[in-house]
Amino acid sequence: MTRDPITEQNRRSWNAVVPAHTSHRADEAAFLRNGGSTLFPEELALLGDIRGRRLLHLLCNTGADSLSLAARGAIVTGVDLSDAAIAYARALSESSGIPATFLQADVYEYLATAVANNVRFERIYAGYGVICWLRDLDAFAAGIAALLAPGGRFVLMEFHPASNMFTADWRLAHAYPQGGARLELPGVGDYVGAAAGGLSPSGFLPGVRDFTNPEPCILYRWGLGEVVTTLAQAGLRLCELHEYCYVNGERPFERMVPAEGRRLRPPPDVPAIPLMYGLAVERDGDDE
């Protein structure tokens, strides 16, 4: 299969940044092996009981979230575009002793292959910076709907598109994301280092400093209404939709105020705006 050239460029950008990201995390294997978790309460509440459930984690990055889900009893398959991320995830699974399957693939290639092979999952999860990498929302939603077992649930935790209207110093400067408009960036940045521990629950290390990605990337801008509508039109039933006026782990703006549980809130002089959202949709329980 000939891969989309933008997807290939994004793969190179992610491969370049993975060593910088992982350099800031102290001994993730020991952290996970000893019962640590990288997950937040919001996605756990939406996922519900995952013990013994087949769970697909799309755009799983370097695997710590996938392994945290596996440690809670799920039978986990993680999929990511980045070769470097998947290599790290496989090594982390082996060194932590937590079993999971990790596959390197473009998300659309994986969805098409899994659907063709009649694979089914009781849970599908994607979180924190997923939607902006999707060039085709319709195909993504259709693939999820086809892979969910009857009664299965898809959970998405995502940064709120309204937050993308602001600059890092809280100035309203950009139009609301919509229509899948392309956004060209110099490359995936070292947001793990910028979070200064918010994304390193195993312990923060200074690691790589002043990282500059040599590989640019291209994102796609989608609105919240477009995401929800596309999932509904794929035949999935909306169960929950929550908006949160704080961010888990990441530090996308200046002067953010730390809160309990690795959360960050706007400073007192900035009105509360939605910075994340979480949703759960389900497939009806009866096969047609």
Side-chain angles (χ1 to χ4, degrees):
M1 179 182 294
T2 301
R3 185 169 288 169
D4 171 62
I6 293 177
T7 301
E8 277 296 287
Q9 182 56 49
N10 288 342
R11 182 182 64 83
R12 291 192 292 269
S13 192
W14 275 106
N15 282 347
V17 78
V18 163
H21 286 177
T22 56
S23 75
H24 302 297
R25 293 166 171 154
D27 204 342
E28 280 193 297
F31 174 73
L32 293 169
R33 187 168 55 246
N34 294 324
S37 174
T38 58
L39 302 169
F40 290 93
E42 290 81 4
E43 56 261 30
L44 290 174
L46 289 168
L47 282 164
D49 185 6
I50 58 174
R51 289 172 296 179
R53 310 278 189 178
R54 294 166 294 176
L55 188 151
L56 172 64
H57 185 186
L58 295 173
L59 286 77
C60 67
N61 200 262
T62 52
D65 285 354
S66 303
L67 295 174
S68 295
L69 292 165
R72 299 178 72 90
I75 304 164
V76 175
T77 298
V79 178
D80 198 87
L81 177 65
S82 167
D83 316 70
I86 289 299
Y88 184 92
R90 289 171 175 165
L92 187 60
S93 174
E94 182 175 357
S95 56
S96 68
I98 302 172
T101 300
F102 289 103
L103 304 173
Q104 187 276 324
D106 169 46
V107 64
Y108 296 101
E109 293 175 7
Y110 173 79
L111 291 172
T113 300
V115 170
N117 290 331
N118 293 313
V119 177
R120 293 292 182 271
F121 297 92
E122 285 81 34
R123 295 288 188 276
I124 301 178
Y125 172 63
Y128 301 102
V130 167
I131 295 299
C132 63
W133 299 103
L134 301 179
R135 61 185 181 269
D136 187 339
L137 275 187
D138 290 332
F140 182 73
I144 287 170
L147 290 183
L148 279 176
R153 171 174 281 218
F154 169 63
V155 168
L156 173 68
M157 282 296 306
E158 189 55 279
F159 301 112
H160 203 292
S163 69
N164 298 139
M165 301 173 68
F166 294 85
T167 61
D169 60 356
W170 298 100
R171 290 183 296 108
L172 181 60
H174 308 295
Y176 184 74
Q178 57 186 329
R182 293 180 183 177
L183 176 64
E184 298 186 22
L185 295 177
V188 183
D190 186 11
Y191 55 81
V192 178
L199 297 174
S200 306
S202 62
F204 179 70
L205 300 174
V208 173
R209 300 175 186 269
D210 302 319
F211 173 78
T212 299
N213 199 323
E215 298 285 353
C217 61
I218 296 176
L219 281 61
Y220 303 90
R221 292 167 58 82
W222 301 102
L224 174 55
E226 292 173 315
V227 173
V228 175
T229 298
T230 302
L231 291 168
Q233 289 177 341
L236 299 171
R237 176 172 51 85
L238 180 65
C239 301
E240 297 184 56
L241 173 61
H242 303 283
E243 298 172 287
Y244 311 95
C245 294
Y246 55 83
V247 173
N248 283 341
E250 208 163 317
R251 191 182 294 268
F253 299 102
E254 298 173 1
R255 300 185 296 116
M256 297 197 79
V257 179
E260 184 180 0
R262 293 188 287 131
R263 293 187 177 119
L264 291 152
R265 297 183 181 275
D269 60 314
V270 174
I273 60 171
L275 300 179
M276 300 191 313
Y277 70 93
L279 63 81
V281 293
E282 291 186 350
R283 177 178 168 179
D284 287 340
D286 296 323
D287 283 317
E288 295 182 0

